[in-house]
Amino acid sequence: MNIKRVKEELKNTIQAYLTKDEYGNYKIPVNRQRPVILIGPPGIGKTAIMEQVAREAGINLVAYTITHHTRQSAIGLPFIEKKMYDGKEYSVTEYTMSEIIGTVYDKIESTGIKEGILFIDEINCVSETLAPTMLQFLQGKTFGSHKVPEGFVIVAAGNPPEYNKSVKEFDIVTLDRVKKIEVAEDFAVWKEYAYKQGIHPAILSYLEIKKENFYSIETTVDGKSFVTARGWEDLSEILYLYGELGIEADEELIIQYVQHKKIAKDFANYLDLFMKYESDYKVDEILEGVFPEELTERLCDAPFDEKLSVIGLLLGKLGTTFKDVYETDAFVTELFGVLKRLKGTMANPNYSAMEAIQDTIEETKAFVERQKAADLLEKAQEKNWMRVFDTMDGYDRMVRAEGIKDSDAAFAKIQAEFLKEVEARKSAIETASMQLENAFSFMEQAFSVGTEMVIFMTELTTGFYSMKFISENGSASYAKYNKLLLTTETRRDILRKIEEIPEE
């Protein structure tokens, strides 16, 4: 099962487990809610989807890597308790609360949300002393003598034995009490995620050509050689940062992330060509509408790998522009909501203009902190809120500097500043639309309706930010080619030709 289908399966399971009857009881009793175990190779995103599932469901997530724990931290420390049995006093061994269970209760306390996911990673790689505790946990949902709170769904993850020599197989008794899901790597699914995360276009276009190099784990005489989805994503981040700092990314850097000599060397060579194409084809100028005929003729006659690289460069630049529009729109939308609350607060005669602004900022910050405590915000959303608060602080300083005490006058001044943000958003949309149309013009001049245009259209359709932009703002060229490719046999024929292209 690929990671996208696993995510859907988890969402459905959580929805089913947390559904209650008319009396407020879970329709599937807690003791019948089987823990979910994800078994799959390392680095394919098992942990990442837990964050996404919890965030989208609006519930807590408590995550632990169990191999970092001892038996004592998992089940608690022993202490002697005095108890009366049949009229006699006895010394009985009790246990303090498990650190893991304690963290679950802390999460409930800090967020006010009583439902969530308890995620235990590397569950089949625990030590011999902790193994019985894990079996008890899966079978009885307890750590030591303390039960996992009702409302928390248990999800665990582990690697197959071929990837980790520490793996211990579960017995049938345990497997008969869990939902086991086997997870497999899938480049097509990862690519959807990669576009949303803004993975470096050199990586995306390289893997489009060399899909077999997306994920590989081999054992050779020199030891293990491997490359994972996690490795490509981390490499993407460092490539962007090196580019900003003007530092050259070479094979020695790449092999630190792509720990497979052959693939690292291959990608290093490709990256050199990719950067050369960016310079040769002047992609920024193409998006501004400047592309002489000799440039499109050169690309038309170029090898297929070169064509894919240039298409990847175009998509990468467009992707950044679309993402900027998306983030600007989210910023303006959130800021509008804050200003709407500010206007309501300013209507209260007990507030001065400055007090109303401060109260609104503090109230919004408290809301965002609660969201962060519950892990309900993505990094991009956190960054967006920081931008909102910076802007609100600027409004506050402006009102104070000008000594505006009247609420109506203060809000009118703030509203005028907000309209500048609205205009900036409009300008960003216009720029993105122009760049998209210019990219289509370049593609049409170079290839007309051919294999390359189908690839370009397919990648636009796959991209989260590109489709978000096109669906909200439209594109005459996208609509034109989409209709053409969907209403004729062209798309089918060209896709078949793509499959027939021999690997070089």
Side-chain angles (χ1 to χ4, degrees), residues 318 321-330 332-333 421-437 465 468-475:
L318 286 171
T321 301
F322 294 144
K323 186 178 180 181
D324 288 345
V325 170
Y326 178 87
E327 291 175 348
T328 299
D329 184 68
V332 172
T333 300
E421 304 291 355
V422 175
E423 283 301 311
R425 172 185 172 276
K426 182 180 177 183
S427 177
I429 292 172
E430 290 173 350
T431 297
S433 294
M434 176 199 70
Q435 290 186 359
L436 180 59
E437 294 305 310
Y465 296 109
K468 185 79 174 171
F469 179 85
I470 292 169
S471 64
E472 292 180 356
N473 302 287
S475 167

Side-chain angles (χ1 to χ4, degrees), residues 2 29 60-61 92 113 129 143 260 297 341 343 374 454 459:
N2 65 49
N60 287 311
L61 172 65
V92 179
I113 301 172
T129 57
F143 275 111
H260 189 295
E297 288 178 353
R341 291 193 292 274
K343 187 175 184 180
V454 173
E459 298 306 298

Side-chain angles (χ1 to χ4, degrees), residues 454 457-458 485-486 488-496:
V454 173
M457 284 288 295
T458 301
L485 295 171
L486 288 176
T488 68
E489 294 296 311
T490 305
R491 179 181 175 86
R492 183 184 304 168
D493 292 341
I494 292 176
L495 286 174
R496 187 175 64 250

